[in-house]
Amino acid sequence: MRRDERLPFSGVVQVSWQDAHGAQRFMRGTCLGISPSGMRAVLPEAIPLRTYVTLAADQTRLVTSASVRHVACVAPQKHLTGFEFSSRVDARYTRRP
């Protein structure tokens, strides 16, 4: 059950996190939807559940921290990933400028 309506949004999202060995990792993906409390994106590789990440979406100037809440492999190098933001984001970030 979703707290907020997720609105369709297509754009590039940059994800950064520390892996299990402490190395800094970076990845670019495609955002599919966004709400004040989370985001759904397609990424080229899976990030473990409950990993804390930093998300940046240039089109909206959104930069926030989040945790990975859902991962599903939908095709080779396509992982549908759900993120829950650490704190709610302003509604202006859920729309294109």
Side-chain angles (χ1 to χ4, degrees), residues 15-26 47-48 50-54:
V15 185
S16 62
W17 75 100
Q18 281 191 346
D19 67 15
H21 305 289
Q24 192 68 32
R25 300 282 313 271
F26 300 92
I47 301 173
R50 295 186 171 46
T51 298
Y52 284 96
V53 301
T54 299

Side-chain angles (χ1 to χ4, degrees), residues 41-63:
V42 174
L43 303 176
E45 63 183 82
I47 301 173
L49 289 174
R50 295 186 171 46
T51 298
Y52 284 96
V53 301
T54 299
L55 301 171
D58 292 339
Q59 294 91 340
T60 61
R61 295 187 212 134
L62 170 70
V63 177

Side-chain angles (χ1 to χ4, degrees), residues 12-15 26-30 42-44 58:
V12 175
V13 62
Q14 297 177 42
V15 185
F26 300 92
M27 187 182 327
R28 291 172 67 98
T30 303
V42 174
L43 303 176
D58 292 339

Side-chain angles (χ1 to χ4, degrees), residues 2-3 6 13-17 27-56 62 64-71 79-87 89:
R2 200 166 306 296
R3 280 182 242 158
R6 185 188 293 144
V13 62
Q14 297 177 42
V15 185
S16 62
W17 75 100
M27 187 182 327
R28 291 172 67 98
T30 303
C31 180
L32 300 177
I34 190 167
S35 76
S37 58
M39 174 186 290
R40 185 168 116 176
V42 174
L43 303 176
E45 63 183 82
I47 301 173
L49 289 174
R50 295 186 171 46
T51 298
Y52 284 96
V53 301
T54 299
L55 301 171
L62 170 70
T64 191
S65 60
S67 64
V68 176
R69 300 312 248 175
H70 173 82
V71 179
H79 295 81
L80 190 58
T81 307
F83 298 99
E84 181 179 23
F85 299 146
S86 297
S87 59
V89 299

